[in-house]
């Protein structure tokens, strides 16, 4: 979602801010803006479009800006269309206070009505602008920027990652957080604020993660943190461990392609030090303290959004079939408002790449409030879900920049497989039986590597179908969620309408859509329900649908039924989704490229959705 960066120190902040915004652009990107304080006055520029366009406009303005204090923002519209006026920063009436904000001010309507009555003039349709005017009101009373921000926020309902600067106090940046990620980058004679460490990791690796309800005042030489009620808070400085190279494209045309090809390594990283193949054991340090609770759990509830939710659906098959644990999988956005009965012996597993998805975080808090044990399966270290959960497992996929999630999904599945084996063993699965699983799981990265060595056919299929307007994806069992994920990938980045369906359920509706123009992707590995899926393929063929099969390398029957057969290595059926999804990621990618779409930054989507 929206990206935030701010700088105060001794260097020219403009290149630091523009570079940071570029790195944040993947999170949300319909408009961008910057505000600097120069010679005691604001210079601001904001407009719809990409950060590169903002940079060009800044250059074209002809002024050489050398300010040492500035803030920048990339926006993903929630309130008000993405145009120049609605872009951040927003200012108060006299243009003496500038704010950038991620999140939503839920009571902005009533605040705006009141302030308008009091004589404030609003320029935009955003909820954010009320913050600038509210702070203006409070500053008139307190004559202290930090106090004014705190007083203003006391009236605000909703979420914020907020950054405020003012010409009244041109030597500080005030920041505040509730529900939207924000961190301070600690430098030497300089300090940063950002919504994501990737924006500042070029300059410092020392960061302080703000918690909800915390406010900080940054100067060039230091910072102090407090609660919104002005109680001082001591914060720990933490070290960011990822490398800059991990958030660069490294020779690939797109981040998504790079991330698809990283999968042998990222899957391996998820297992490293955890999977003891010959001992047939799994060691997950982050679950040690809650393992007893997990063993005694009545059921697991998995909650997540988007691709992570699909991972949860595969996890349901793994945990139920292998570890014999009853599992329910819930959309976090539904779960949080459904008021579901939750018992203290429920274990709630929250899956999230970013660890910041607002709905997943809220679902987790709700489950925790009701007494369940809440655990996280998260990629971003130090993220909100990681910090607020009672235990969990990092997937160690490294930064994922492409908006369409790929490597995070296969790493989530890997971790779910690890948890499954750990639980199965603890519940009495024999070492011999478990060893079959650990050996097979250990082979998955090599199989993925092998698969990625020859992707020509996927490109041929993409060329053949790039102009179609509909796609159907079918799968059964643990590969039903793979069909859902394949369809999601395609619609996200190519804007082709695609539906994922359980193969046998097709005849209850989607079959009406099938004719000689309809491509139908069927995930059909040689497992216990292989023959059943072949029957479903026959149903498609009988209506002249064009079948693209994702099938095992040793499958000789499938050629007679499918127009295209994309081969995948065979593995244990419940680990199959880790491999089978990869050609679907590549197919979506290749079609999107063939259609000239912006693969890494698809329209309307955001990488990390921090509003509900
Ligand atoms: C957004 C992204 C999806 C992602 C979903 C959940 O919609 O575009 O790719 O799957 O959020 O994100 P999370 O970070 O919680 O996994």
């Amino acid at each position: 979602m929206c990206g935030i960066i701010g700088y105060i120190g001794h260097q020219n902040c403009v290149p630091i801010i523009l570079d940071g915004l570029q790195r944040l652009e993947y999170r949300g990107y319909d408009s961008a803006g910057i505000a600097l304080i120069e010679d005691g006055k604001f210079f601001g520029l904001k407009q719809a479009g990409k950060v590169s366009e903002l940079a060009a406009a800044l250059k074209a303005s002809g002024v050489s800006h050398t300010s040492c204090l500035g803030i920048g923002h990339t926006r993903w519209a929630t309130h008000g269309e993405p145009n120049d006026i609605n872009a951040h920063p927003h200012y108060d009436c006299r243009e003496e206070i500038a704010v950038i904000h991620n999140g939503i001010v839920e009571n902005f309507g009533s605040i705006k009505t009141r302030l308008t009555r009091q004589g404030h003039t609003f320029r935009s349709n955003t909820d954010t602008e009320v913050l600038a005017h509210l702070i203006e009101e409070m500053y008139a009373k307190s004559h202290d920027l930090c106090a004014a921000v705190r007083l203003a926020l006391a009236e605000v309902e909703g979420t914020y990652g907020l950054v405020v600067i003012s010409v009244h106090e041109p030597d500080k940046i005030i920041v505040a957080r509730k529900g939207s990620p924000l961190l301070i980058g600690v430098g030497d004679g300089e300090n940063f604020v950002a919504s994501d460490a990737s924006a500042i990791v070029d300059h410092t690796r020392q960061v302080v993660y703000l918690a909800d309800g915390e406010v900080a005042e940054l100067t060039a030489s230091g910072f102090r943190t407090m609660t919104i009620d002005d109680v001082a808070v001591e914060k720990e400085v933490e070290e960011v461990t990822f490398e800059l190279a991990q958030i660069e494209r490294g020779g690939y045309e797109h981040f998504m392609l790079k991330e698809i090809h990283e999968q042998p390594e990222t899957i391996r990283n998820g297992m490293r030090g955890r999977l003891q193949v010959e001992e047939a054991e799994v060691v997950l340090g982050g679950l040690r303290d809650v393992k007893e609770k997990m063993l005694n759990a009545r059921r697991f509830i998995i909650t997540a959004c988007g691709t992570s939710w699909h991972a949860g659906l595969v996890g349901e098959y793994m945990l139920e079939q292998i570890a014999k644990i009853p599992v329910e999988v819930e959309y976090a956005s539904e779960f949080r408002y459904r008021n579901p009965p939750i018992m203290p012996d429920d274990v709630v597993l929250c899956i999230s790449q970013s660890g910041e998805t607002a709905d997943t975080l809220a679902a987790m808090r709700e489950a925790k409030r009701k007494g369940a044990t809440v655990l996280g399966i998260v990629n971003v270290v130090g993220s909100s879900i990681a910090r607020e959960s009672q235990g969990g497992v990092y997937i160690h996929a490294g930064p994922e920049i492409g908006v369409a999630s790929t490597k995070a999904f296969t790493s989530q599945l890997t971790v779910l497989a690890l948890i499954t084996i750990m639980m199965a063993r603890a519940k009495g699965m024999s070492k011999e039986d478990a060893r079959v699983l650990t050996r097979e799981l250990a082979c998955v990265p090599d199989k993925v590597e092998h698969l990625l060595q020859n992707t020509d056919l996927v490109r041929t299929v993409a060329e053949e179908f790039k102009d179609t307007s509909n796609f159907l994806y079918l799968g059964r069992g643990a590969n039903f969620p793979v069909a859902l994920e394949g369809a999601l990938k395609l619609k996200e980045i190519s804007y082709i309408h695609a539906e994922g369906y359980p193969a046998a359920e097709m005849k209850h509706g989607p079959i009406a859509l099938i004719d000689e123009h309809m491509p139908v992707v069927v995930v059909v590995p040689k497992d216990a329900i292989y023959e059943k899926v072949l029957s479903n393929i026959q149903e498609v063929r009988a209506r002249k649908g064009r079948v693209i099969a994702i099938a095992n390398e040793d499958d000789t029957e499938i050629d007679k039924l499918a127009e295209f057969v994309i081969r995948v290595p065979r593995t244990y059926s419940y680990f199959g989704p880790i491999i089978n999804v990869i050609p679907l990621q590549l197919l979506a990618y290749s079609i999107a490229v063939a259609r000239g779409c912006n693969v890494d930054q698809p329209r309307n989507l955001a990488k990390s959705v921090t509003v509900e």
Side-chain angles (χ1 to χ4, degrees):
M1 195 130 290
C2 314
I4 284 179
I5 177 160
Y7 174 84
I8 182 163
H10 47 79
Q11 303 186 57
N12 177 8
C13 70
V14 176
I16 297 174
I17 291 175
L18 289 176
D19 184 58
L21 287 181
Q22 227 123 29
R23 291 192 195 282
L24 289 173
E25 207 172 24
Y26 74 96
R27 294 172 62 99
Y29 37 76
D30 53 43
S31 48
I34 188 166
L36 322 167
I37 298 183
E38 272 177 330
D39 304 325
K41 289 200 295 289
F42 272 133
F43 170 84
L45 194 62
K46 55 180 193 166
Q47 57 185 46
K50 301 268 168 214
V51 176
S52 54
E53 292 163 48
L54 178 76
L58 209 56
K59 207 166 168 200
S61 76
V63 194
S64 79
H65 298 284
T66 52
S67 166
C68 297
L69 187 160
I71 58 178
H73 189 262
T74 57
R75 175 170 188 252
W76 184 84
T78 58
H79 292 62
E81 65 171 285
N83 57 25
D84 296 358
I85 291 174
N86 289 338
H88 297 214
H90 289 283
Y91 299 89
D92 65 323
C93 295
R94 296 195 198 93
E95 301 206 355
E96 292 168 347
I97 295 168
V99 305
I100 56 180
H101 163 235
N102 290 351
I104 294 179
V105 181
E106 282 165 6
N107 57 340
F108 89 102
S110 57
I111 299 177
K112 191 169 178 175
T113 309
R114 194 190 82 214
L115 291 175
T116 308
R117 220 177 285 134
Q118 288 170 5
H120 287 261
T121 316
F122 286 82
R123 304 175 189 90
S124 75
N125 299 320
T126 63
D127 53 333
T128 296
E129 195 185 345
V130 303
L131 295 172
H133 293 272
L134 202 53
I135 296 167
E136 178 186 15
E137 283 281 302
M138 299 305 174
Y139 192 81
K141 292 181 198 157
S142 66
H143 298 290
D144 177 299
L145 189 60
C146 190
V149 170
R150 283 191 288 97
L151 290 169
L153 290 179
E155 290 194 21
V156 168
E157 285 162 27
T159 54
Y160 45 82
L162 178 68
V163 177
V164 184
I165 55 175
S166 169
V167 292
H168 296 304
E169 299 184 23
D171 55 350
K172 62 181 67 154
I173 301 179
I174 310 297
V175 305
R177 170 197 162 136
K178 186 180 161 206
S180 253
L182 208 61
L183 54 89
I184 301 170
V186 184
D188 190 7
E190 55 185 2
N191 285 303
F192 305 79
V193 57
S195 51
D196 178 331
S198 59
I200 56 166
V201 75
D202 229 356
H203 310 285
T204 178
R205 291 182 167 277
Q206 308 294 312
V207 299
V208 171
Y209 295 101
L210 288 186
D212 279 351
E214 288 181 351
V215 177
E217 182 180 280
L218 278 60
T219 60
S221 56
F223 67 92
R224 61 185 188 97
T225 40
M226 68 214 85
T227 65
I228 196 171
D229 309 317
D230 203 18
V231 179
V233 186
E234 277 301 310
K235 301 292 292 182
E236 205 182 313
V237 180
E238 297 177 44
E239 172 114 12
V240 175
T241 49
F242 63 77
E243 294 302 322
L244 204 54
Q246 286 179 284
I247 50 172
E248 285 170 351
R249 277 209 311 267
Y252 285 94
E253 203 183 332
H254 297 100
F255 279 112
M256 184 179 176
L257 188 63
K258 171 180 177 245
E259 287 159 4
I260 289 173
H261 280 273
E262 276 172 1
Q263 288 177 111
E265 204 43 37
T266 49
I267 296 168
R268 242 176 238 129
N269 286 344
M271 297 194 264
R272 185 161 294 138
R274 296 167 164 176
L275 182 69
Q276 301 180 350
V277 180
E278 292 312 311
E279 294 83 352
E281 291 290 353
V282 169
V283 181
L284 295 168
L287 296 181
R288 197 172 296 131
D289 295 345
V290 289
K291 198 165 165 191
E292 213 42 47
K293 283 233 155 104
M294 293 173 80
L295 273 172
N296 296 325
R298 196 170 58 115
R299 60 173 176 176
F300 281 12
I301 299 169
I302 299 181
T303 188
C305 303
T307 289
S308 298
W309 182 75
H310 293 158
L313 290 178
V314 178
E316 179 178 27
Y317 282 92
M318 293 177 180
L319 284 159
E320 288 195 340
Q321 300 307 312
I322 306 172
K324 312 292 177 212
I325 297 169
V327 178
E328 284 169 32
V329 186
E330 301 253 12
Y331 281 118
S333 53
E334 290 298 309
F335 180 75
R336 63 183 291 194
Y337 289 119
R338 204 163 48 79
N339 196 19
I342 295 175
M343 315 295 165
D345 55 359
D346 283 332
V347 162
V348 177
L349 268 179
C350 303
I351 307 180
S352 175
Q353 187 284 128
S354 61
E356 301 292 351
T357 302
D359 285 320
T360 312
L361 188 57
M364 185 177 96
R365 288 177 177 158
E366 176 66 5
K368 199 173 177 183
R369 197 179 60 78
K370 290 185 163 170
T373 302
V374 296
L375 309 175
I377 298 180
V378 169
N379 191 30
V380 177
V381 176
S383 56
S384 301
I385 292 177
R387 281 181 292 125
E388 291 187 32
S389 55
Q390 291 154 301
V393 188
Y394 280 121
I395 63 172
H396 294 317
E400 189 180 64
I401 307 292
V403 165
S405 183
T406 52
K407 64 176 181 173
F409 180 71
T410 48
S411 294
Q412 288 164 343
L413 297 187
T414 305
V415 164
L416 284 161
L418 291 174
I419 294 175
T420 300
I421 298 172
M422 180 187 86
M423 293 305 294
R425 277 292 275 147
K427 281 172 159 271
M429 178 183 269
S430 74
K431 196 169 186 169
E432 291 65 41
D433 288 351
R435 196 181 286 129
V436 177
L437 302 184
T438 54
R439 282 185 180 161
E440 198 49 58
L441 190 58
C443 293
V444 167
D446 290 347
K447 291 184 179 176
V448 170
E449 203 160 326
H450 169 72
L451 162 71
L452 286 169
Q453 268 155 16
N454 188 357
T455 56
D456 293 351
L457 183 60
V458 176
R459 273 192 293 277
T460 308
V461 175
E463 254 332 293
E464 179 73 21
F465 294 103
K466 68 179 193 308
D467 296 320
T468 190
S469 40
N470 290 293
F471 254 88
L472 191 58
Y473 285 72
L474 303 176
R476 293 187 79 158
N479 287 298
F480 156 52
V482 172
L484 292 179
E485 177 60 8
L488 179 67
K489 287 287 85 83
L490 188 69
K491 49 189 155 192
E492 280 180 318
I493 59 171
S494 76
Y495 318 134
I496 294 176
H497 170 250
E499 250 187 283
Y501 241 78
E505 189 65 19
M506 174 193 65
K507 55 186 170 295
H508 300 292
I511 200 164
L513 301 171
I514 295 176
D515 60 14
E516 68 276 23
H517 304 296
M518 179 67 120
V520 182
V521 179
V522 191
V523 188
V524 54
K526 279 218 142 186
D527 56 15
I529 42 175
Y530 171 74
E531 298 292 340
K532 305 277 175 206
V533 184
L534 289 191
S535 308
N536 302 137
I537 293 178
Q538 293 286 15
E539 292 158 8
V540 174
R541 277 169 54 91
R543 275 107 197 146
K544 300 197 170 56
R546 301 184 64 184
V547 177
I548 303 146
I550 310 298
N552 287 143
E553 286 166 338
D554 56 349
D555 183 346
T556 47
E557 264 173 90
I558 192 72
D559 298 276
K560 296 178 216 128
L561 296 179
E563 187 177 341
F564 296 94
V565 181
I566 299 169
R567 302 283 176 179
V568 286
R570 195 162 167 173
T571 181
Y572 175 60
S573 57
Y574 295 107
F575 303 156
I578 309 176
I579 297 176
N580 303 340
V581 74
I582 290 172
L584 304 189
Q585 298 170 343
L586 274 168
L587 181 62
Y589 171 81
S590 306
I591 291 179
V593 170
R595 285 165 73 91
C597 299
N598 184 344
V599 173
D600 284 332
Q601 298 178 352
R603 70 182 180 208
N604 303 346
L605 294 177
K607 181 69 187 158
S608 173
V609 181
T610 49
V611 294
E612 65 172 281

